[in-house]
Amino acid sequence: MSGIVIAGASRTFGTVRAVDSVDLTVEQGEFFTLLGPSGCGKTTLLRMIAGFTPLDTGEIRFGERRIDRLPAHVRDIGMVFQNYAVFPTLSVAGNVAYGLKARAVPAAEIASRVDEALAMVQLGGYGDRQPHELSGGQLQRVAIARALVIRPHVLLFDEPLSNLDARLRVSMRAEIRALQKSLGITAIYVTHDQEEAMSVSDRIALMNHGRLEQVGIPVDIYRKPATRFAAEFMGTTNLVEARALGLAAPVWVSLRPEALRFAEEAPAGWPHLPGAVAAIEMLGPITRLDVRLENGTILKMVVLDAPGHVVREGQRVTLAYDTARLTVVS
Amino acid sequence: MILAIPHGQRLPLGIAVLAFVFLGLFLVYPLLNVFGASFLDAEGTAFTFANYTRMLGRPFYRAAIANTLEIGVAATLITTVLAVPFAFALARLPIPGKAAILAMASLPLILPSFVSAYALVLLLGRSGIVTQWLQAHGVGFGSIYGRGGIVAVYTLTLYPYVLLPTIAAFKAVDVSMEEAAQSLGSSPGRTVWTVTLPIVLPAILAGGLLVLIETLENFGVPFVLAEDMPIFAVEAFKLFIGETAPNPSQAGVLGVLLILTTTAVLLVQRRFLARRRFATSARQATPLLKVGRGVQAVATAYCWAIVILALVPFFSIVVLSFMEFRGPVLHPHFSLDNFAFLFDRALRPLANTLMFATAAALGVTLIGVPVGYVVTRYRSGVASLLDVLATLPFAVAGTVLAIGFIVSFNAGVLVLTGGPLILVLAYTVRKVPFAVRSASAIVHQIDVSLEEASVSLGRSPLQTFLRIVVPLMLGGILSGMVLSWVTVASELSATIVLYSGPWSTLTVVMFQALESGGAGIATAAASFLIVVSLLPIALLYRLVRRYELS
């Protein structure tokens, strides 16, 4: 067994190139995330791997086996859907056993594997429940158990946490990652939430307009965004012409808010930028500030809350920034 | 060849091919034969327009067309004018007994309309009970035969076609639209007129056009009430049955003209209105309007009056069936003679009716459910063609389809005339559009990802359809089957052309009794039909209720 290779995959809907010649290799056992705004093609690419959207051109291989011409039901995938897609006509155990029965696994083995899978998602003893008795989070656990019990070549997650409330999302994503790592099954995960992507992934492919914008480990994409789109999508940033920061090069740079400090608190050697506070947004642990430089450029910065710290609108301040965290973007 | 078809398309294509074969053989082929017959000369060999010029040249048949359209338009207008306020009252006003009104208002859809027409004759006809009683007290009134009576029966039996979709539309109107209008200074009355009505208009028109189609195709009601006034479907029947030589060209001409008219109306209904649906998804239930006691009383009386008036004919025929008839003359004594007579003389037709209805309901379900699934789930030229073909029977009058069946299956490779199968097949084809619509409505509510989940877990699309989709559709499939069963049991227009020898049905018994003046057995047969129609619906209702409660 080895990973997944996608080569030159394209798909057009009408005049829209939903997926535009994508080349991608996902390693065996890797937790790989397709990240991007809605309409970027991430779900289409996932559905191409699953077999629900045919490719116009290109190919997909699971290891040596080419699968893009195979019907979806023989591809050996486990898929978790945004809206759970738990069969309402079957019990929890019936749902989890569904894929095993399709594979004609002996009944005794089915029973033990179903129990094992339910225990894994912390639903031990829930086998006889009916889906309508379960909460959203529990339904998604059933869907996960149902997908992993068949030990597929790849687990596909299509925005699995979008329908859950914020608190549950955070705990579930950690659980999903832990489960995937303990089983060693390759996972491809689709989300539009960059924080979620950063938290669960081994690697992220950032997508835009059907193309791969940047592929890399989360910290690299955050710290070294290759493009303006990547810089903005991965979190708040200051995207300015280098000239606005007093640099000569005719390029655009990205400077994260946390790379800016007040000059009096900054290490020596950081370049200074005089300006005035234009807007203040107190969020509790942090305060967001907009600072207007003398050349008119507005920079966003973040300061940690501390007692005695008072900033007023209109106050003149001098900023300093860390040149090591300045990234040139194309 | 199979390998060239994308794997995701194989199931829908397979279903489509089977459906095309069935509908091609039992819908398109018979209709083509009707078309063909209408263009053949007397020898049946040369192509000619002579049949059309001859038929359209005769004032009698021109009058048939004019009468049918006139009655249809009048019935449609009156139905709409009566049903829209009714719908508004049920959707938006505080009316006591809403659930009961709604249940009773749906009944005319499943009760045979010609029974209503027949009841009207028994009560208000020339020698009707009420007529004689009134004459005895020196009161006379106009004739119920002809236009007036037919329009009245159509109105009372077809109004649910406008009422039910209009109620749904009124309920789906987003209240914030009305609130927006009122915040801009519009009075509640003006708001209904300028905001709410335009939003529900497509639903009203769609329902109205269905009424028009039903009136154009109806055979039983004009047969009972038209007397010597020529009507489309009746004249086509008379031409076909009355002919001694097997030359159905003149009946074919009427059939073709009838199909073209109904198809035109259906196309307007589907193409024009389908696109003009205003999607206003109401987030919360629309609140009832606050009105004075006077308005509430008038609205309540209005709703109950229509519902009850529509059911009076059916109720009275049940009562009459328990009275003594001597020939056509009624005696006000309680008696079971009519039923004894019915079970004695007509046991075979009775059994046939139950048998045919069961067979056709099964056939309709087997075709309608997969076809409804394909036309809802897949977007392709094949799926659209299948949708059109599966809707076509709605535009074909039973009489015309039956004529096509006789012409097509009287000789040659496939001979069906004279047997029971031809009836079952005709019923099946006629009810396919309803089964497809109802199946499609259920499939719309099933989340596609359930099917994708099943496929991703290793079940093929066919297995997924059988294991996941069908169980989810079960309630809807069951009620669709019962509806098909009920409407087939009281089918008249195709039956009357196709039945032969021992294979007659209850509706045929009624029809023959009407012609020969055997009112007693006709009322018993009608009562039996009413019971046969209501019983399964009541059972289904209880079954569904129990299912929902568990």
Side-chain angles (χ1 to χ4, degrees):
Chain A
M1 286 246 282
S2 57
I4 297 162
V5 180
I6 301 167
S10 290
R11 172 70 192 195
T12 306
F13 294 118
T15 55
V16 181
R17 281 182 81 79
V19 171
D20 194 354
S21 34
V22 165
D23 296 301
L24 201 59
T25 303
V26 178
E27 301 301 331
Q28 165 66 30
E30 192 175 20
F31 199 118
F32 193 94
T33 295
L34 301 173
L35 172 68
S38 61
C40 73
K42 57 189 190 299
T43 296
T44 306
L45 186 56
L46 190 80
R47 292 172 61 83
M48 287 164 131
I49 300 168
F52 298 129
T53 302
L55 282 70
D56 291 336
T57 58
E59 56 175 70
I60 302 175
R61 289 174 190 280
F62 288 175
E64 292 304 305
R65 197 165 69 113
R66 181 166 176 186
I67 55 101
D68 56 90
R69 297 283 168 77
L70 294 176
H73 67 279
V74 300
R75 287 192 183 188
D76 194 21
I77 52 165
M79 188 151 173
V80 179
F81 295 81
Q82 181 173 350
N83 50 2
Y84 323 135
V86 170
F87 306 129
T89 44
L90 300 177
S91 67
V92 167
N95 266 278
V96 179
Y98 190 85
L100 296 173
K101 284 186 180 159
R103 286 162 172 73
V105 173
E109 191 188 334
I110 288 182
S112 68
R113 278 172 72 176
V114 166
D115 286 346
E116 190 190 345
L118 283 174
M120 254 189 267
V121 296
Q122 286 151 52
L123 284 179
Y126 276 69
D128 294 331
R129 301 280 185 99
Q130 294 300 316
H132 64 85
E133 301 172 87
L134 268 51
S135 69
Q138 289 171 324
L139 285 172
Q140 198 55 294
R141 286 166 195 271
V142 174
I144 293 168
R146 183 178 70 179
L148 56 81
V149 74
I150 57 175
R151 294 172 200 155
H153 185 86
V154 58
L155 275 169
L156 304 175
F157 293 91
D158 185 9
E159 308 229 12
L161 305 181
S162 306
N163 285 3
L164 304 178
D165 66 60
R167 229 174 257 276
L168 198 53
R169 263 205 303 268
V170 172
S171 63
M172 281 285 282
R173 71 192 187 200
E175 259 185 74
I176 289 177
R177 172 159 172 104
L179 264 176
Q180 185 265 345
K181 284 297 157 203
S182 72
L183 293 168
I185 302 174
T186 311
I188 299 185
Y189 190 100
V190 161
T191 182
H192 63 269
D193 180 338
Q194 52 93 13
E195 188 186 295
E196 191 173 301
M198 303 258 309
S199 113
V200 297
S201 314
D202 294 322
R203 279 195 304 151
I204 294 173
L206 182 62
M207 291 186 70
N208 190 25
H209 297 307
R211 290 173 170 277
L212 296 182
E213 194 83 13
Q214 190 171 356
V215 181
I217 62 172
V219 69
D220 277 355
I221 296 188
Y222 183 76
R223 289 186 187 157
K224 295 170 198 148
T227 62
R228 277 196 242 182
F229 173 80
E232 288 198 301
F233 194 83
M234 293 309 292
T236 314
T237 195
N238 294 295
L239 205 57
V240 293
E241 284 184 81
R243 252 174 291 151
L245 302 178
L247 302 170
V251 291
W252 284 79
V253 292
S254 161
L255 186 63
R256 298 277 178 208
E258 64 269 22
L260 284 160
R261 294 200 199 155
F262 292 122
E264 59 270 25
E265 296 165 1
W270 285 22
H272 286 198
L273 298 165
V277 176
I280 306 172
E281 195 184 7
M282 169 67 186
L283 297 176
I286 58 163
T287 301
R288 291 185 186 278
L289 300 175
D290 282 0
V291 175
R292 181 178 281 112
L293 303 185
E294 284 169 346
N295 58 20
T297 308
I298 291 189
L299 290 183
K300 296 186 273 283
M301 72 175 294
V302 177
V303 287
L304 284 172
D305 192 47
H309 220 136
V310 183
V311 189
R312 288 183 319 280
E313 224 168 283
Q315 182 181 332
R316 299 202 57 81
V317 291
T318 304
L319 303 184
Y321 67 93
D322 185 355
T323 47
R325 287 155 94 170
L326 203 59
T327 318
V328 176
V329 294
S330 59
Chain B
M1 173 65 188
I2 281 281
L3 289 176
I5 303 165
H7 42 76
Q9 298 291 325
R10 282 176 206 164
L11 175 69
L13 268 178
I15 291 172
V17 166
L18 292 178
F20 282 138
V21 169
F22 180 84
L23 292 173
L25 191 56
F26 296 114
L27 174 66
V28 177
Y29 175 61
L31 290 185
L32 284 179
N33 279 330
V34 172
F35 269 76
S38 73
F39 288 109
L40 286 181
D41 64 3
E43 282 77 43
T45 48
F47 177 87
T48 174
F49 279 111
N51 299 318
Y52 283 86
T53 49
R54 195 179 321 133
M55 293 293 283
L56 292 173
R58 283 161 66 180
F60 182 77
Y61 291 110
R62 282 211 303 272
I65 296 171
N67 289 337
T68 309
L69 288 175
E70 221 171 88
I71 289 171
V73 170
T76 306
L77 289 178
I78 296 173
T79 304
T80 308
V81 168
L82 285 178
V84 172
F86 190 169
F88 182 79
L90 273 194
R92 303 297 302 277
L93 298 181
I95 306 278
K98 260 184 202 177
I101 294 178
L102 209 54
M104 288 164 75
S106 317
L107 290 182
L109 286 181
I110 53 160
L111 293 169
S113 59
F114 67 94
V115 167
S116 179
Y118 182 53
L120 200 65
V121 172
L122 283 180
L123 294 174
L124 300 171
R126 236 163 256 117
S127 52
I129 301 151
V130 178
T131 316
Q132 286 176 342
W133 185 83
L134 285 175
Q135 276 167 354
H137 290 76
V139 184
F141 63 94
S143 165
I144 53 120
Y145 299 96
R147 281 187 186 79
I150 299 178
V151 169
V153 170
Y154 282 157
T155 305
L156 290 179
T157 54
L158 298 177
Y159 78 90
Y161 277 103
V162 180
L163 178 73
L164 299 179
T166 308
I167 291 176
F170 271 126
K171 282 189 173 168
V173 172
D174 193 336
V175 195
S176 56
M177 306 247 183
E178 293 178 4
E179 288 167 352
Q182 283 170 27
S183 75
L184 294 168
S186 177
S187 71
R190 183 174 174 271
T191 304
V192 168
W193 191 249
T194 56
V195 175
T196 317
L197 260 186
I199 292 176
V200 299
L201 193 62
I204 298 172
L205 291 178
L209 290 176
L210 289 185
V211 171
L212 183 57
I213 292 175
E214 288 286 331
T215 65
L216 296 179
E217 291 181 358
N218 201 305
F219 168 82
V221 174
F223 187 85
V224 174
L225 285 173
E227 297 217 301
D228 48 3
M229 188 168 87
I231 295 288
F232 236 140
V234 178
E235 295 315 317
F237 166 75
K238 284 182 181 163
L239 276 173
F240 187 73
I241 296 297
E243 267 168 354
T244 43
N247 178 4
S249 57
Q250 294 184 331
V253 169
L254 281 192
V256 168
L257 292 177
L258 187 51
I259 290 174
L260 291 182
T261 317
T262 45
T263 308
V265 179
L266 190 65
L267 282 181
V268 170
Q269 202 260 358
R270 303 239 319 157
R271 298 288 151 201
F272 171 67
L273 289 173
R275 261 185 254 146
R276 283 204 47 195
R277 281 283 148 81
F278 299 106
T280 62
S281 53
R283 290 281 159 95
Q284 73 250 43
T286 46
L288 296 180
L289 297 177
K290 289 194 182 73
V291 291
R293 287 190 161 275
V295 176
Q296 185 187 348
V298 170
T300 307
Y302 178 77
C303 295
W304 278 105
I306 294 182
V307 164
I308 290 171
L309 208 57
L311 295 179
V312 161
F314 298 102
F315 181 73
S316 42
I317 215 153
V318 173
V319 172
L320 290 178
S321 67
F322 288 102
M323 293 188 179
E324 192 184 329
F325 284 86
R326 293 202 187 121
V329 185
L330 179 96
H331 294 261
H333 312 295
F334 176 81
S335 152
L336 289 173
D337 286 357
N338 299 325
F339 287 94
F341 198 51
L342 176 73
F343 289 115
D344 183 38
R345 294 285 182 84
L347 202 56
R348 179 74 191 264
L350 207 148
N352 285 343
T353 300
L354 303 183
M355 193 172 72
F356 294 162
T358 308
L362 287 174
V364 162
T365 307
L366 281 177
I367 295 163
V369 171
V371 170
Y373 174 74
V374 170
V375 300
T376 313
R377 273 288 182 264
Y378 297 89
R379 280 188 198 156
S380 67
V382 175
S384 320
L385 182 64
L386 186 58
D387 196 11
V388 169
L389 202 58
T391 313
L392 183 61
F394 193 73
V396 179
T399 324
V400 179
L401 183 72
I403 291 173
F405 265 51
I406 299 268
V407 176
S408 306
F409 306 117
N410 200 23
V413 187
L414 189 58
V415 179
L416 296 172
T417 48
L421 192 58
I422 195 165
L423 283 157
V424 173
L425 285 169
Y427 296 151
T428 306
V429 170
R430 289 208 70 197
K431 300 303 169 194
V432 156
F434 301 93
V436 169
R437 284 293 140 249
S438 80
S440 165
I442 314 165
V443 174
H444 263 300
Q445 292 177 352
I446 299 175
D447 197 326
V448 189
S449 58
L450 286 177
E451 292 163 48
E452 291 176 347
S454 165
V455 170
S456 77
L457 291 167
R459 291 288 185 196
S460 70
L462 178 62
Q463 287 175 326
T464 296
F465 177 71
L466 296 176
R467 283 169 180 272
I468 300 295
V469 181
V470 169
L472 284 170
M473 293 178 72
L474 212 53
I477 292 175
L478 202 63
S479 47
M481 252 172 104
V482 167
L483 268 181
S484 305
W485 196 91
V486 163
T487 49
V488 165
S490 54
E491 210 278 355
L492 174 67
S493 58
T495 314
I496 211 67
V497 179
L498 292 173
Y499 86 95
S500 59
W503 303 110
S504 71
T505 67
L506 269 189
T507 52
V508 175
V509 171
M510 271 196 70
F511 180 82
Q512 287 167 339
L514 287 177
E515 284 195 309
S516 60
I521 193 169
T523 55
S527 288
F528 196 82
L529 266 185
I530 290 170
V531 172
V532 153
S533 306
L534 293 184
L535 208 59
I537 299 283
L539 284 177
L540 179 77
Y541 184 70
R542 291 203 46 175
L543 198 73
V544 170
R545 280 271 300 258
R546 193 178 306 158
Y547 182 74
E548 279 171 355
L549 287 176
S550 73

